[in-house]
Amino acid sequence: MTTAMAGQDSSGSGNSASPVSPKSATTALEPVSDLVIGYKSKAQEAHSETAVRAGISAAAAKTGLKLSYERRLSVGAALVSLGGARPAKDVTKLMDYFRADPDVAYAVPNGQMQPQSVTSPDDPRFPEQWSLTEAKVGMNVQDAWGTTTGEGVTVAVVDDGIAEHSDLDANVIQGVDLLSDTFTANDGDGRDDDPSDPGNGVKEGECKDLEGKPLPAAASSWHGTHMAGIIAAPSDNGNGIAGVAPGAKLEPVRVTGRCGGNDADISDGVMWAAGEHVDGVSDNQTPANVINMSLGHPGECPPFMQSAIDKAVQRGSTVVVAAGNRGGNDKPVDASQFTPANCKNIITVAATDREGNRAEYSNFGSVDIAAPGGDMRKNVGDGILSTFNSGTGAPDAENFTFEVGTSQATAHVSGLVALMLSANPELTPAEIKTAIKANARPIPPDKCDGGCGAGLADAAKTVAAAAKGAPGSGSPSDSASDAPSDSASDAPASPDAPPAASAPSDGSGSEGAGVGTDLSACLHNSCQVEVTGGDTIQLDGADGVDELEINSVSANTVDLTGTSDSGSQNAEQTAPGTSQLNDLVVDIIEVDGDRATIRLS
């Protein structure tokens, strides 16, 4: 599956992974070269390389495919090579074979991601940065700078690296190259600690579209370099442009190259950016406060990508993702059909043009917020100017250029998050999401067909709210479901809402659980948590349960087991409904596919 970076159309040994229902991805949509297999936490394969290899060998013998074990992802899943691109029907049969194994939590394609920005060959030198300043359609950034310019915050640019540029270098810190394929990497080797962008230009036929058809030649995109400038180009060097958060630091995490990048490398990039260990490279000494993902492809959120995002959020990183650029197609696309825009625990960003409309290319609907992405169909200056490079292949002279896309919109919001965290470092990802939506400027329905979330992000109002320390107090908050709101205001936050549990939330009113998450505080405050099959919740034993394991979530039913020194007790409960394990009361509030909202008391 080819993942597109937000702007350019798609063409072309650790802990066990957090599992989802095998029904979450039933078919392959295109030729696939690799699968990612996740195992349930108690499965032998979750902890044994030997068991993984044995299972893959058995699958190869059964299916006749040339399967090989490549490596274990940082979230614990196994990357399996299919020996080259295989037809979608063969891949679907293979996934069904793995899913029939009761120890397998999921089997999904390792999709390919591409940048989500629409490029332009024009290279104006001194453009107007309307996206930051224009009263009706800009983000009102200059007024926010009266509070902060982003000092003390690190933003990871999960992209194709950053090329040297005098208008960026002062803010770029050590990053990493996580591309595992040497052709894609285009730098002569695999993973290493050098995240510089060597260029991703390709000859005709080197890349293929979703149907396997050869694509024309393309020049290097310098996509990560363009994102970096929008987020945090310094404002005090007199050298071109200013980023939304010119005082923040930029951490390049290179995960895409020639023909894009794959989901497995990108999920490792999210993990590394958040401070998790990733084999083959040095550990991150400056975990990112913000993770910018201006990339995507059509399809469901891969379970291992969701696991990586969940771990990043649990570590305190706010993840900002492009909605995708399929809005102008013959069959426009809701962001819910694009990944990682449809993953949970993120901020999904749509794009607007210089007239305040939803940009014609932007996905819509299931998004949280909109930000300037530009539209150059009438005028090149209506695009978003940022740092660039003149090289069509390898790096050449630095320059500036205009581009458009939900990539650019996403970079604007990542810069805004950096400003918020500089003004108030105690903010959680959930509070950040709530504040951005609560302080947005509404977009009239006739200017955003399909829905643009809460409206256009307003930096001045949002940073002012963040600085006051209560960004969501007395203002709109997210709805009870995880789906982003399309309206400018949701129901007010409850003044007597219980304190948050130790695990970070996606802002949906329920906390996210996980493997081994300590939610004893949630227990005593009777708060809600969102869980999926394989989650293990640690409790304090006061109600006769030391550990609550969510065995499965499916068919509107939750199967769970409570264990303590005295033994275990199992329950299977449909939603809505209540089960009791010893003195622990578990209310099943609702089930949505492979996830359930429960309340412990």
Side-chain angles (χ1 to χ4, degrees):
M1 186 172 291
T2 301
T3 297
M5 280 178 150
Q8 171 184 337
D9 277 344
S10 164
S11 48
S13 258
N15 294 329
S16 62
S18 178
V20 300
S21 167
K23 297 180 180 179
S24 64
T26 57
T27 60
L29 302 179
E30 60 192 74
V32 174
S33 300
D34 308 289
L35 287 185
V36 177
I37 313 297
Y39 300 97
K40 296 180 180 178
S41 58
K42 292 187 177 180
Q44 187 177 5
E45 292 91 341
H47 313 285
S48 168
E49 303 296 295
T50 301
V52 171
R53 293 180 186 277
I56 293 170
S57 295
K62 181 70 175 179
T63 62
L65 298 176
K66 295 181 180 179
L67 309 181
S68 61
Y69 172 62
E70 294 296 307
R71 60 185 170 87
R72 194 181 289 275
L73 306 189
S74 299
V75 296
L79 180 64
V80 180
S81 170
L82 309 187
R86 305 296 306 177
K89 60 182 180 63
D90 292 347
V91 177
T92 297
K93 291 180 181 178
L94 179 61
M95 290 191 296
D96 288 342
Y97 171 84
F98 277 111
R99 291 169 185 158
D101 184 340
D103 287 336
V104 170
Y106 56 80
V108 293
N110 180 24
Q112 294 287 319
M113 293 208 178
Q114 301 289 343
Q116 291 297 298
S117 60
V118 182
T119 61
S120 166
D122 298 301
D123 183 27
R125 299 282 179 174
F126 303 103
E128 180 183 13
Q129 288 185 272
W130 61 269
S131 63
L132 306 187
T133 60
E134 288 192 355
K136 293 184 178 180
V137 295
M139 280 182 56
N140 198 12
V141 169
Q142 285 178 298
D143 287 345
W145 289 344
T147 301
T148 178
T149 59
E151 293 82 358
V153 178
T154 297
V155 182
V157 184
V158 179
D159 214 293
D160 60 7
I162 298 177
E164 289 187 6
H165 199 293
S166 60
D167 205 17
L168 290 177
D169 292 346
N171 279 350
V172 177
I173 62 174
Q174 179 61 46
V176 71
D177 177 359
L178 291 174
L179 284 168
S180 52
D181 178 76
T182 54
F183 171 80
T184 303
N186 195 31
D187 59 0
D189 55 26
R191 294 182 165 188
D192 55 37
D193 293 346
D194 179 9
S196 58
D197 186 355
N200 57 10
V202 292
K203 300 176 182 178
E204 183 175 358
E206 285 188 315
C207 298
K208 296 178 174 58
D209 65 14
L210 293 177
E211 298 177 351
K213 297 178 181 179
L215 291 172
S220 294
S221 66
W222 312 112
H223 189 267
T225 305
H226 204 263
M227 299 307 103
I230 296 169
I231 296 168
S235 61
D236 57 358
N237 59 7
N239 190 21
I241 68 166
V244 175
K249 295 301 181 183
L250 296 159
E251 185 172 73
V253 183
R254 188 166 184 253
V255 294
T256 64
R258 290 192 290 189
C259 303
N262 65 66
D263 289 346
D265 286 346
I266 293 166
S267 71
D268 278 354
V270 173
M271 294 281 280
W272 187 89
E276 293 278 357
H277 172 74
V278 175
D279 289 342
V281 294
S282 300
D283 288 343
N284 188 353
Q285 301 302 313
T286 52
N289 309 100
V290 190
I291 299 176
N292 186 88
M293 299 181 71
S294 291
L295 39 74
H297 67 68
E300 297 174 342
C301 178
F304 58 92
M305 186 71 73
Q306 185 64 66
S307 292
I309 290 170
D310 290 346
K311 288 181 182 293
V313 173
Q314 288 169 9
R315 280 180 164 265
S317 299
T318 298
V319 182
V320 188
V321 178
N325 298 341
R326 300 300 183 89
N329 288 13
D330 292 339
K331 296 181 179 180
V333 175
D334 188 289
S336 64
Q337 302 172 43
F338 212 75
T339 194
N342 54 11
C343 295
K344 298 179 184 295
N345 288 338
I346 63 171
I347 298 173
T348 306
V349 186
T352 55
D353 62 21
R354 198 170 180 174
E355 296 177 355
N357 305 300
R358 174 175 69 84
E360 57 88 23
Y361 53 79
S362 177
N363 291 354
F364 50 81
S366 299
V367 302
D368 294 301
I369 196 70
D375 185 340
M376 297 188 292
R377 291 179 298 170
K378 295 181 180 179
N379 180 15
V380 170
D382 292 344
I384 306 299
L385 184 77
S386 188
T387 44
F388 209 68
N389 192 282
S390 63
T392 57
D396 199 343
E398 66 177 50
N399 60 11
F400 301 87
T401 198
F402 287 101
E403 291 190 349
V404 303
T406 53
S407 276
Q408 282 67 25
T410 301
H412 280 84
V413 174
S414 289
L416 171 56
V417 176
L419 293 177
M420 296 171 69
L421 285 168
S422 182
N424 184 352
E426 300 303 315
L427 294 175
T428 67
E431 291 171 331
I432 288 168
K433 182 175 178 178
T434 296
I436 289 175
K437 296 176 70 172
N439 294 284
R441 303 203 300 272
I443 299 176
D446 62 337
K447 286 185 171 291
C448 190
D449 53 314
C452 286
L456 180 66
D458 187 306
K461 287 181 61 180
T462 308
V463 171
K468 293 177 181 177
S473 177
S475 58
S477 64
D478 288 351
S479 62
S481 69
D482 189 75
S485 167
D486 292 342
S487 62
S489 63
D490 301 323
S494 170
D496 58 352
S502 58
S505 147
D506 64 354
S508 65
S510 62
E511 303 301 314
V515 178
T517 302
D518 182 357
L519 290 173
S520 56
C522 185
L523 170 65
H524 294 306
N525 287 291
S526 299
C527 61
Q528 295 177 195
V529 295
E530 185 178 81
V531 297
T532 189
D535 282 353
T536 302
I537 302 172
Q538 304 296 332
L539 301 172
D540 62 4
D543 293 291
V545 177
D546 296 320
E547 182 177 279
L548 180 66
E549 181 172 355
I550 311 302
N551 302 316
S552 65
V553 179
S554 63
N556 204 43
T557 302
V558 179
D559 185 277
L560 40 86
T561 301
T563 60
S564 65
D565 292 341
S566 59
S568 63
Q569 189 176 357
N570 182 261
E572 188 172 280
Q573 180 63 56
T574 58
T578 300
S579 289
Q580 184 164 341
L581 305 174
N582 293 334
D583 292 328
L584 175 67
V585 176
V586 183
D587 291 314
I588 312 299
I589 308 301
E590 74 172 350
V591 175
D592 181 10
D594 62 326
R595 291 179 177 266
T597 302
I598 68 174
R599 181 185 295 115
L600 308 178
S601 59

